Amino acid sequence: MSIENKVVVITGASSGIGAATAKVLAEKGAKVVLGARRADRLNELVTAITANGGQAVAQVTDVTDQKQVQALADLAVAKFGRLDVMFNNAGLMPLSELHLLKVAEWERMIDVNIKGVLYGIAAALPIMHQQGGGQIIATDSVAGHFVHPNTAVYAGTKFAVRTIMEGLRQEEGKNHIRAMIVSPGAVETELYSTITDPAVRENTYHNERSYGLKDIDVANAVAYAIDQPENVSINEILLRPTEQPL
C-alpha cells in the first residue's frame, strides 16, 4: 500500500510543514484529515486540496486537549473508514534563555510539543491495533539532537519526543505499527512568530529566510517515509539546510 488511498491525520495543519505535507500527500492520492486551531486556514486548505482533485476534511483541534485530538482521529475513521498515518506535527518554539524565566512559555511548550504528541499516540494506537497496523510520525527537530543557548526548554521537549517515539518503535513493531520522527533544521515557516524575545526572534527569522529549508522539503521527507513498503520502517530523517552549521 503506497501513499495512494492512505488515510492520514495531520495536526498543526493550518500552515508550514503541516499544510505543505497535506498538499503533497493529497496530490499523491492520500485522504487527509486536518487539525489545527485556525478554522479559516483549515477551510482554505481543504478548499485548495479539493479544487485540485484531492480528498480532505478538517476539524478545529487544539492538541493540548486530549478529547479534541481523539475526535480528530475518530473523524478519520468516520469519514474514510480507517487511520493509516497519524502525523503529530503541531509545535511551538518560543526560544529564550532560562534566566528570563518565561515559565508560561515553558509550560505551553510542554503541553503542545510533548503532550500533544502523546495525545496523538493515544488516539491512534487503539485504532491501529484493531486494523492490524499503521504509522505514527512526529515532527521533532535538530534541537532534539543538539542543545545551544536559548533552546534549553525547546530542545528538552524535542529530546522527549525523540525518546517517546523510540519507545513507541520498540513496543509497537510487533503490531505492525511503524514509528518515525522527522528532525528538520532551520525551516522557513511561521514558527519563529512564537518567539517573544526580540533579539532571538529577529536572528531566527533572518537565518530561516536566508538559508532555511522550505516547508515542502520537510513534507517530501515525510512522504518518502510513508511511501515505503510495510516491511520497511524509516525511523528518523534528520535534514538541514546545506548552509546550516549546527
Side-chain angles (χ1 to χ4, degrees):
M1 188 178 184
S2 65
I3 291 174
E4 188 174 9
N5 291 320
K6 280 190 174 178
V7 179
V8 183
V9 169
I10 304 173
T11 65
S14 60
S15 66
I17 293 168
T21 303
K23 292 176 182 177
V24 167
L25 295 179
E27 287 174 358
K28 295 178 180 293
K31 303 167 184 176
V32 294
V33 181
L34 311 176
R37 291 177 300 161
R38 294 178 289 186
D40 56 338
R41 291 283 194 93
L42 286 176
N43 292 335
E44 289 172 5
L45 183 56
V46 169
T47 298
I49 289 172
T50 54
N52 196 40
Q55 297 185 67
V57 295
Q59 186 163 282
V60 172
T61 305
D62 182 343
V63 299
T64 67
D65 185 329
Q66 184 181 2
K67 291 181 179 178
Q68 292 188 36
V69 179
Q70 184 65 59
L72 187 66
D74 292 343
L75 175 63
V77 177
K79 182 69 176 179
F80 299 118
R82 59 186 293 112
L83 170 55
D84 296 297
V85 182
M86 183 78 186
F87 182 20
N88 296 308
N89 168 69
L92 297 174
M93 192 182 68
L95 306 179
S96 66
E97 292 188 352
L98 290 169
H99 72 90
L100 297 175
L101 303 180
K102 294 180 179 285
V103 177
E105 293 182 0
W106 304 346
E107 292 175 341
R108 183 67 178 166
M109 272 192 284
I110 290 168
D111 287 344
V112 173
N113 296 1
I114 301 177
K115 290 183 179 179
V117 170
L118 288 170
Y119 293 161
I121 292 170
L125 278 182
I127 299 170
M128 292 179 178
H129 283 168
Q130 184 174 22
Q131 68 192 19
Q135 186 174 24
I136 299 176
I137 300 172
T139 299
D140 201 66
S141 171
V142 167
H145 303 256
F146 305 97
V147 186
H148 56 80
N150 296 304
T151 73
V153 180
Y154 176 69
T157 66
K158 293 303 184 177
F159 268 81
V161 169
R162 183 177 165 205
T163 300
I164 290 164
M165 292 297 291
E166 171 60 12
L168 179 71
R169 181 194 70 80
Q170 293 181 24
E171 293 175 7
E172 294 298 334
K174 64 182 181 293
N175 295 316
H176 309 289
I177 296 172
R178 300 185 290 174
M180 189 197 84
I181 57 171
V182 59
S183 297
V187 187
E188 188 177 331
T189 68
E190 297 176 6
L191 201 57
Y192 79 93
S193 66
T194 64
I195 302 172
T196 57
D197 183 297
V200 177
R201 177 175 171 143
E202 176 60 30
N203 184 61
T204 302
Y205 177 86
H206 171 76
N207 290 340
E208 290 179 354
R209 269 60 190 172
S210 61
Y211 60 71
L213 299 168
K214 304 299 183 183
D215 49 21
I216 195 171
D217 298 325
V218 184
N220 286 333
V222 173
Y224 167 78
I226 294 173
D227 200 30
Q228 298 307 302
E230 297 299 320
N231 67 311
V232 177
S233 181
I234 304 298
N235 304 130
E236 180 178 341
I237 297 179
L238 175 59
L239 65 160
R240 295 180 178 87
T242 302
E243 295 181 36
Q244 180 173 331
L246 297 177

